[in-house]
Amino acid sequence: MKDLYIDFDGVICNTIDITYKMIDELKIDKKDNAQILKFYKNLDWFKVLEEATDINNGIERIKKIIKSGKFKVSILTHVNSVEEIEAKVKYIRKNFETIPIISVPKTISKTQILCAKNSILIDDYVGNLIDWRKAGGLGIRFDLDMDGKGFPVINELDEIIEVF
Ligand SMILES: [Mg+2]
């Protein structure tokens, strides 16, 4: 069984769409890293995840991936605050009783927290995929428009079953 790590924001859940809309409404410049960091640190994640939905039926598709028996599936997510971890765990546990949830501080690469070698990461953020590949892992980009930006790409999570 291969280790498969699935990103949360922008892959499982549409939290990026919701928070980018909020950032626009607050007229925060997306290039202003300090302001963006502050925004995500102070964000009410419970509220965001109440209105959030999964992308392309991601939850049901992850259940299919687990059922295939081909992968040891974990959720691997960058976080900005302890409250963000709490809110994400609450959201994920509604659907998955036992799936491991690994939270990584935003300032640290996902590859610093676990061993990427020979493991698969599905992520929407190319920076994470580049780090993953450098560490000997296999990166798959999740993108609704199927733009892989140099990586194999999927827009429905259970497509991974056919890739391996
Ligand atoms: Mg993401």
Side-chain angles (χ1 to χ4, degrees), residues 7-11 16 110 123-125 128:
D7 176 37
F8 185 80
D9 302 292
V11 173
I16 302 278
K110 292 179 177 183
D123 207 306
D124 60 320
Y125 178 54
N128 288 338

Side-chain angles (χ1 to χ4, degrees), residues 106-141:
K106 183 71 191 166
T107 49
I108 296 177
S109 168
K110 292 179 177 183
T111 58
Q112 295 293 304
I113 293 291
L114 40 80
C115 178
K117 200 165 172 54
N118 297 324
S119 305
I120 308 159
L121 171 68
I122 304 177
D123 207 306
D124 60 320
Y125 178 54
V126 176
N128 288 338
L129 295 172
I130 291 171
D131 281 354
W132 198 259
R133 187 160 62 188
K134 269 189 205 152
L138 195 82
I140 309 263
R141 184 159 196 245

